[in-house]
Amino acid sequence: GHLPAALAQPPSDGYLPPPESVTKPKRPLNAYMLFQQERRQELWQEAPPGTRYSEIRSKIADEWYLMDSAQKKRYQDLAARSRKKYRQEIEEYREDVLFYEMKYGPHPALGGIEEAPPNKYRHRR
């Protein structure tokens, strides 16, 4: 799991060490961001000195807009695989955090798993 050995048992002195190795999985990149990540490196190498980042970004956006769906499919497939992996990792992370909290109580550094806050815009009946 995601919990380090130091958090596997309750501390004897009551001090909870910060869980450096407990890292919440990062959200996956979408298809456009994957394309941008790949294309940015190529464009920077081709660009003349003094090129601004905004110019690179604009060129990438134009290329993405002009691509047809068949060309975008590769990045969409990568994004789908990345989302699937993320869902699995986040589920494991949540199980680890819930296990820790059930056993020892909330840990301030873990942030805890909270219920979704009530929607203040939902009308009551």
Side-chain angles (χ1 to χ4, degrees):
H2 296 273
L3 289 177
L7 297 179
Q9 52 193 357
S12 56
D13 60 358
Y15 170 74
L16 294 172
E20 288 90 11
S21 66
V22 179
T23 53
K24 188 172 184 178
K26 290 186 177 183
R27 294 185 64 177
L29 298 177
N30 63 27
Y32 173 72
M33 294 306 292
L34 290 168
F35 170 73
Q36 183 184 43
Q37 204 175 45
E38 181 182 286
R39 195 68 182 112
R40 183 176 49 225
Q41 292 175 344
E42 296 169 6
L43 290 175
W44 268 121
Q45 290 171 354
E46 298 168 2
T51 303
R52 294 190 322 227
Y53 181 66
S54 59
E55 295 171 32
I56 300 288
R57 254 190 3 237
S58 178
K59 195 172 198 176
I60 292 170
D62 292 342
E63 287 180 17
W64 180 259
Y65 179 75
L66 295 173
M67 288 172 74
D68 62 7
S69 57
Q71 292 171 311
K72 291 180 182 180
K73 178 132 177 63
R74 173 176 165 240
Y75 300 100
Q76 292 165 343
D77 291 344
L78 286 171
R81 272 188 261 145
S82 183
R83 277 193 307 274
K84 184 177 178 181
K85 181 181 175 192
Y86 170 77
R87 284 190 199 111
Q88 190 175 16
E89 289 175 351
I90 198 72
E91 193 57 41
E92 290 173 10
Y93 170 81
R94 287 181 177 147
E95 287 172 8
D96 288 344
V97 172
L98 285 173
F99 173 78
Y100 181 89
E101 290 183 346
M102 285 179 5
K103 198 167 184 183
Y104 309 118
H107 189 295
L110 289 176
I113 303 295
E114 300 175 5
E115 293 286 325
N119 186 343
K120 65 181 180 180
Y121 300 108
R122 178 180 275 166
H123 297 290
R124 296 182 181 185
R125 292 180 185 198

